Amino acid sequence: MQAVTAYIGIGSNLADPVAQVRQAALALEALPQTRAIACSPLYRSKPWGLPGQPDYINAVAALETTLPALELLTQLQEIETARGRVRTVRWGPRPLDLDILLYGGLQLGGPRLTIPHPRLRERAFVLYPLRDLAPDLRLPDGTTLAELLEQCPPWELERVEESELKVSWQVQEIPHNIGVST
Ligand code: ROI
């Protein structure tokens, strides 16, 4: 199978969220049939969903993978479970959340998985880190990331300063042709 570029949303608001997100990025690098291309800077965001939960740390990772989408989902769920995620309250706090945001140009609607992620378009905590990785990205339906960003101000979203991180973590340069092609 031809390798596909997938973008994974990473979020945590429990149990040392910065460490959770950085550990998750390492776990993504270790996935079978997968090459980690880059990870965005970390952002701190106010919770979307249930009010009264702690702030989130968010990032987005770009992967190149030959895992089929549903197998990638299974692998991500195993990482979440290993980090103590118990699926209870919808939109409640969690030590680690890994979402497939985009999987090449695939559009999929199924009982386990919808791609692109159904709430991608309205979430600043996903769109801004995506821009760090792939500013020229287009969704499979042709919508540009720039158009989505115009509709989605970076409300209650801030970059986590490099100085807050124990080890510096840079965005790597990623090839220009990895975005979803049109
Ligand atoms: N809110 C923010 N800010 N960041 C997240 O990653 C996040 N993830 C979720 C819900 C509970 C919807 N809210 C979130 O799953």
Side-chain angles (χ1 to χ4, degrees):
M1 183 181 145
Q2 175 91 32
V4 167
T5 302
Y7 292 92
I8 310 298
I10 310 173
S12 169
N13 73 341
L14 290 179
D16 193 351
V18 168
Q20 291 285 352
V21 171
R22 300 186 68 232
Q23 285 295 327
L26 293 177
L28 293 177
E29 278 182 25
L31 286 177
Q33 296 174 232
T34 300
R35 193 164 70 88
I37 302 174
C39 190
S40 74
L42 271 53
Y43 287 82
R44 182 172 290 106
S45 61
K46 292 285 171 207
W48 195 101
L50 278 188
Q53 45 176 325
D55 288 354
Y56 278 78
I57 299 295
N58 285 110
V60 171
L63 308 177
E64 232 170 55
T65 187
T66 55
L67 290 173
L70 284 170
E71 259 178 61
L72 178 60
L73 176 68
T74 300
Q75 296 273 345
L76 298 183
Q77 289 177 342
E78 279 174 18
I79 298 173
E80 289 176 342
T81 305
R83 311 295 322 174
R85 167 96 183 256
V86 183
R87 291 174 180 273
T88 47
V89 192
R90 190 176 193 211
W91 293 344
R94 63 268 322 271
L96 185 62
D97 193 18
L98 296 172
D99 290 327
I100 302 177
L101 304 171
L102 293 163
Y103 181 92
L106 181 69
Q107 291 180 286
L108 179 74
R112 271 190 80 201
L113 183 61
T114 301
I115 296 177
H117 188 282
R119 285 168 294 279
L120 163 73
R121 294 160 181 269
E122 65 228 41
R123 291 183 170 176
F125 63 81
V126 169
L127 296 176
Y128 285 83
L130 255 183
R131 180 180 65 178
D132 295 325
L133 295 178
D136 300 328
L137 193 75
R138 274 177 191 272
L139 300 197
D141 71 0
T143 314
T144 64
L145 181 59
E147 285 162 351
L148 296 176
L149 287 161
E150 262 174 42
Q151 305 298 318
C152 191
W155 180 76
E156 297 188 316
L157 184 73
E158 61 179 35
R159 278 275 284 269
V160 176
E161 294 302 323
E162 202 67 22
S163 58
E164 289 182 52
L165 303 177
K166 287 170 206 120
V167 180
S168 90
W169 202 33
Q170 299 281 323
V171 188
Q172 296 166 28
E173 198 59 43
I174 56 174
H176 216 65
N177 61 358
I178 67 160
V180 176
S181 56
T182 51

